[in-house]
Amino acid sequence: MEITSIVALIIAAALLFYIVGIYNRLVSLKNRNENAFAQIEVQLKRRHDLIPNLVETARGYLKHERETLEAVTCARNTAINDLKAAASNPASASAIDNLGRAESALTGALGRFNAVMEAYPDLKADQNMMALNEELSSTENKVAFARQAFNDCVTSYNIYKQRFPPVLLAGFFGHRADGRLLEFADSETIQAAPRIEF
């Protein structure tokens, strides 16, 4: 065997290993995105599960505030549906955008609910309501952390996929679309923990 043939085989093998490395890295980063989204899903489900308890506890006190309670319930239901759609395909940009809008609407409805609750001192002093509000506050913090972790994973995936030479192979390996960050319309409000006063 000639030396040029051996050199050509070594170069071909090195190139093959390099391409396999790119493929494996893309798969790994995509799976991290999906795992990070699963963490957001867990926290959002927890948030969604707390809201009916909060509404039921407040219902007796807030008989005249039916619109507020209905708005919270409606926003929660929309957020649940959009979470299911995003969970079925976390790579879908439109599903992630819809989820962001739905969660922003839910946060706004909860803000209005808390404002109305201020007018009812007996409700604010209720032990169940205090415990639920504490749990909701803790969950909001966990949602913010999970969202940040997801967005960090998406950013790492996009950076790697868009760099040279992976950009040449990403589409061929089925990684055509960039990952979408999960952004809420009221991101400044989301960054701070909800303030609930008693």
Side-chain angles (χ1 to χ4, degrees), residues 164-187:
F164 183 83
V167 71
L168 300 175
L169 301 170
F172 178 74
F173 291 145
H175 298 267
R176 289 174 187 80
D178 287 345
R180 178 70 116 209
L181 299 175
L182 179 58
E183 299 174 323
F184 296 137
D186 52 354
S187 63

Side-chain angles (χ1 to χ4, degrees), residues 11-124:
I11 290 173
L15 186 60
L16 180 64
F17 281 118
Y18 187 70
I19 290 171
V20 167
I22 289 173
Y23 175 80
N24 289 338
R25 177 93 171 137
L26 286 168
V27 169
S28 174
L29 290 170
K30 183 179 179 192
N31 287 332
R32 285 185 192 159
N33 286 355
E34 290 172 3
N35 180 51
F37 184 82
Q39 301 308 312
I40 290 174
E41 183 180 15
V42 166
Q43 298 308 325
L44 290 178
K45 283 181 179 179
R46 181 176 176 204
R47 178 187 198 204
H48 299 160
D49 290 344
L50 285 171
I51 291 170
N53 296 331
L54 197 65
V55 169
E56 271 310 307
T57 302
R59 189 169 303 249
Y61 291 96
L62 302 178
K63 291 177 183 168
H64 304 293
E65 305 293 346
R66 206 172 105 207
E67 282 181 28
T68 302
L69 296 173
E70 288 174 358
V72 169
T73 302
C74 181
R76 173 193 175 263
N77 293 339
T78 300
I80 287 172
N81 291 334
D82 286 342
L83 178 59
K84 286 178 185 175
S88 69
N89 187 6
S92 168
S94 64
I96 296 295
D97 288 345
N98 289 342
L99 177 60
R101 281 191 293 276
E103 288 299 326
S104 294
L106 179 56
T107 299
L110 285 173
R112 289 187 297 280
F113 174 78
N114 286 329
V116 166
M117 202 173 73
E118 291 293 319
Y120 295 86
D122 291 342
L123 176 59
K124 290 192 311 185

Side-chain angles (χ1 to χ4, degrees), residues 106-146:
L106 179 56
T107 299
L110 285 173
R112 289 187 297 280
F113 174 78
N114 286 329
V116 166
M117 202 173 73
E118 291 293 319
Y120 295 86
D122 291 342
L123 176 59
K124 290 192 311 185
D126 183 89
Q127 292 299 315
N128 288 337
M129 194 58 145
M130 289 171 58
L132 288 168
N133 273 324
E134 179 61 34
E135 193 68 26
L136 186 62
S137 177
S138 170
T139 300
E140 294 295 333
N141 289 332
K142 291 176 183 178
V143 167
F145 290 130

Side-chain angles (χ1 to χ4, degrees), residues 148-159:
Q148 181 62 46
F150 172 74
N151 285 344
D152 289 346
C153 286
V154 168
T155 300
S156 294
Y157 172 75
N158 288 344
I159 288 170

